[in-house]
Amino acid sequence: MSQEDPSNVRELISEARIQERVSELARQIEADYEGTDEVVLVGILKGSFIFLADLARRLSIPRRIEFMAVSSYRDGDRAGAVRLLMDLRTDIRQRHVIIVEDIVDSGRTLEYLLNNLKARGPASVESCVLVRKPDGEHTPTVRYLGFEIPDAWVVGYGLDFAEQHRPLPYIGVLEQPPGDAASDEPSR
Ligand code: IMP
């Protein structure tokens, strides 16, 4: 099975559509932050790395790139607590921050991140999310959203299953969704 065209991944959002949407999101962000000194883009590792790279390159406003890593783990069938694995290396007090996240599923991770960063006294904190699944248990505010998707396990464009399929240029549905064992500690 080739990494580029795996037989168990069904294309959901094409490369062209993703690229078009990332450009649209960049135009929205530019309009909203026009005149601000700098926007701090906080990419959430690992899943956002390709989205962040494309978004950052399309923005014409001053921007700084930072990263955080978190991990959420499951308690039986329920999503468990979020753990901070790697913190920011910069002070965001009085700065404009946009969290760049790959996916919102239960919403727990993004809710945690928004609360965590808001507590540090930034000028503002918003979120830019590539894809969102329906009916999350938590409903954090997503200011910039790429796509609403069905409730299925998706891979590609940075998203993985057990570290597989991140380099795919499109987003696809994994035909054999992860079982309980694999989702104990989802890779990011
Ligand atoms: P949450 O349930 O919104 O907190 O999302 C938890 C994390 O699980 C996400 O940030 C992703 O890293 C991962 N995740 C959830 N659904 C998917 C998926 O369909 N594909 C890849 N990763 C996912």
Side-chain angles (χ1 to χ4, degrees):
M1 177 177 63
S2 104
Q3 177 89 318
E4 283 69 35
D5 188 19
S7 59
N8 60 340
V9 179
R10 178 173 46 83
E11 184 175 304
L12 183 67
I13 309 170
S14 70
E15 178 177 6
R17 185 68 192 106
I18 294 171
Q19 295 303 327
E20 184 183 28
R21 188 73 188 117
V22 173
S23 294
E24 289 168 2
L25 293 173
R27 298 293 85 79
Q28 276 182 44
I29 291 170
E30 281 169 0
D32 291 350
Y33 290 84
E34 200 191 347
T36 36
D37 285 353
E38 187 182 63
V39 175
V40 183
L41 301 174
V42 177
I44 310 305
L45 296 172
K46 299 179 191 172
S48 76
F49 78 110
I50 294 178
F51 180 38
L52 176 68
D54 283 348
L55 184 69
R57 285 181 291 182
R58 281 184 176 78
L59 284 173
S60 59
I61 53 172
R63 68 271 186 218
R64 177 186 173 116
I65 295 168
E66 298 290 341
F67 291 100
M68 285 175 85
V70 293
S71 171
S72 40
Y73 55 95
R74 294 187 182 269
D75 172 14
D77 284 344
R78 294 168 55 86
V82 179
R83 281 185 298 162
L84 184 58
L85 299 180
M86 189 189 93
D87 203 353
L88 288 175
R89 291 193 218 162
T90 192
D91 188 345
I92 57 166
R93 248 174 301 173
Q94 292 175 29
R95 302 171 80 174
H96 293 284
V97 174
I98 301 177
I99 298 169
V100 180
E101 175 65 305
D102 53 354
I103 187 164
V104 167
D105 183 358
S106 72
R108 186 181 294 259
T109 304
L110 182 60
E111 187 175 83
Y112 167 88
L113 289 165
L114 284 165
N115 290 336
N116 183 299
L117 296 190
K118 277 178 189 162
R120 305 182 191 200
S124 65
V125 185
E126 300 291 352
S127 62
C128 180
V129 173
L130 180 62
V131 292
R132 180 170 62 190
K133 294 186 191 178
D135 306 324
E137 188 187 334
H138 302 260
T139 51
T141 304
V142 177
R143 175 76 181 269
Y144 307 100
L145 177 64
F147 304 95
E148 301 275 8
I149 59 165
D151 189 10
W153 195 268
V154 289
V155 294
Y157 199 67
L159 290 152
D160 78 314
F161 170 61
E163 291 302 331
Q164 295 296 298
H165 309 309
R166 289 195 199 276
L168 288 174
Y170 56 88
I171 294 172
V173 174
L174 193 65
E175 299 283 22
Q176 296 140 344
D180 282 347
S183 59
D184 278 350
E185 189 76 45
S187 51
R188 304 204 38 116

